[in-house]
Amino acid sequence: MSRFLQRLNIVLGVIAVIAVVAVYSQKHMAELTAEKIGRIESAIAQQQADLSILKADWAYLNQPTHIQPIVDRHNDVLNLQVAEAKQFGSFADLPMRPQQRLDTESLDALFETVEAGEDPIGSLLEGLL
């Protein structure tokens, strides 16, 4: 009996050591993953900050007060003119939507079938089966 308990203690000790090593490796992997997540989150925050700066620059560069001097400076090359309302067209120029006609014969036949107490879908399924 004492020999059995001695072997059982050795086996349980080995299992305990393996469990400690497994728990430590899982803890280490979780810490590495947390560090990677932190780096990715900081990179995302930096990119969002850069993007907000770019959006502000874009808003500034697209202001008419910023663009007009450039247009004036290069007007001889660009030969730009003010757009007139007649260049865009009018609603009268748009074609009317075509009238959609309902297939009244098929609808009448369907309603007559339903009023007669027949199941139109059931008869279609019987024909298929």
Side-chain angles (χ1 to χ4, degrees), residues 47-67:
Q47 288 178 354
Q48 286 177 341
D50 293 344
L51 184 61
S52 66
I53 291 170
L54 290 173
K55 284 181 180 179
D57 287 345
W58 183 256
Y60 171 73
L61 292 174
N62 280 329
Q63 289 179 352
T65 56
H66 181 76
I67 295 174

Side-chain angles (χ1 to χ4, degrees), residues 50-106:
D50 293 344
L51 184 61
S52 66
I53 291 170
L54 290 173
K55 284 181 180 179
D57 287 345
W58 183 256
Y60 171 73
L61 292 174
N62 280 329
Q63 289 179 352
T65 56
H66 181 76
I67 295 174
Q68 189 62 46
I70 297 170
V71 171
D72 292 340
R73 190 170 50 237
H74 300 287
N75 194 25
D76 56 336
V77 176
L78 297 174
N79 197 19
L80 298 175
Q81 298 174 3
V82 177
E84 296 178 14
K86 66 181 180 181
Q87 290 176 303
F88 296 107
S90 66
F91 286 111
D93 297 336
L94 296 175
M96 294 299 294
R97 186 177 291 179
Q99 292 283 337
Q100 292 183 354
R101 298 188 179 189
L102 294 177
D103 186 9
T104 57
E105 294 174 6
S106 298

Side-chain angles (χ1 to χ4, degrees), residues 5 7 11 22 26 32-33 36 38 46 53 75 87 97 105 115:
L5 289 177
R7 287 182 184 168
V11 169
Q26 288 294 322
L32 290 177
T33 304
K36 285 181 184 178
Q46 180 63 39
I53 291 170
N75 194 25
Q87 290 176 303
R97 186 177 291 179
E105 294 174 6
E115 286 177 3

